[in-house]
């Protein structure tokens, strides 16, 4: 019984890791940014690096201003993007749409089906009512 539980946990962790790679990986973030109109052509601002800097700043400490995100972005990428062009990108309406779409995709892919019976369980032979 313990072995089956460990396999299930390992599979779930593998699914989560793969979903995060797919959603937040370089191609996934950039493709979604192009779809919603956040980026139209390749510039200094890389969507995958921006997402990484947002997640690292917002997940690790309390921020006081957008400059904290900009400094983290510059540190992660090794670029030197000034505050005003960085701010202009973040104030676009498509920026919030891009984040919303990434969040929706992430939640839908990472959502666990808690009412679906496990494979090879006794509940598997029952159908939904």
């Amino acid at each position: 019984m313990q072995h089956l539980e460990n396999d299930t946990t390992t599979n779930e962790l593998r699914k989560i890791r793969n979903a995060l790679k797919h959603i937040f990986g370089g191609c996934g973030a950039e493709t979604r940014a192009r779809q919603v109109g956040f980026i139209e052509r390749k510039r200094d601002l890389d969507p995958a690096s921006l997402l990484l800097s947002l997640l690292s700043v917002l997940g690790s400490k309390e921020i006081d201003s957008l400059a904290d995100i900009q400094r983290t972005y510059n540190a992660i990428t090794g670029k030197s993007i000034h505050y005003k062009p960085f701010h202009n990108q973040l104030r676009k309406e498509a920026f919030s749409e891009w984040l919303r779409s990434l969040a929706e995709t992430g939640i839908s892919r990472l959502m666990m089906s808690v009412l679906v019976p496990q494979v090879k369980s006794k509940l598997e032979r029952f159908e939904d009512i």
Side-chain angles (χ1 to χ4, degrees):
M1 185 72 164
Q2 183 71 11
H3 185 267
L4 180 62
E5 187 175 310
N6 286 340
D7 286 344
T8 304
T9 304
T10 305
N11 288 338
E12 291 298 326
L13 291 174
R14 191 174 298 123
K15 282 182 192 177
I16 291 170
R17 185 190 70 218
N18 291 338
L20 287 174
K21 273 185 181 179
H22 179 72
I23 298 163
F24 301 128
C27 293
E30 186 172 333
T31 302
R32 187 63 63 145
R34 288 187 188 283
Q35 288 173 347
V36 299
F38 176 54
I39 59 169
E40 295 173 5
R41 57 187 175 270
K42 195 71 170 172
R43 297 225 175 171
D44 287 338
L45 190 74
D46 176 46
S49 299
L50 175 60
L51 184 61
L52 179 62
S53 62
L54 283 169
L55 292 174
S56 64
V57 168
L58 296 174
S60 66
K61 63 179 182 177
E62 185 176 317
I63 64 168
D64 296 321
S65 67
L66 288 176
D68 293 332
I69 299 170
Q70 182 245 352
R71 282 190 293 271
T72 304
Y73 179 84
N74 286 342
I76 287 173
T77 61
K79 296 179 181 179
S80 182
I81 295 181
H82 295 288
Y83 178 78
K84 188 66 174 176
F86 187 82
H87 176 266
N88 287 341
Q89 291 297 315
L90 298 186
R91 72 179 206 166
K92 287 181 178 178
E93 196 172 310
F95 172 69
S96 60
E97 180 65 25
W98 175 62
L99 288 179
R100 185 192 60 74
S101 70
L102 285 175
E104 283 179 354
T105 305
I107 289 169
S108 68
R109 288 183 186 264
L110 296 174
M111 187 172 54
M112 298 174 120
S113 300
V114 291
L115 297 178
V116 175
Q118 296 289 327
V119 177
K120 299 181 183 177
S121 76
K122 293 180 181 180
L123 295 174
E124 184 182 36
R125 58 187 160 162
F126 293 102
E127 293 183 23
D128 289 340
I129 299 174

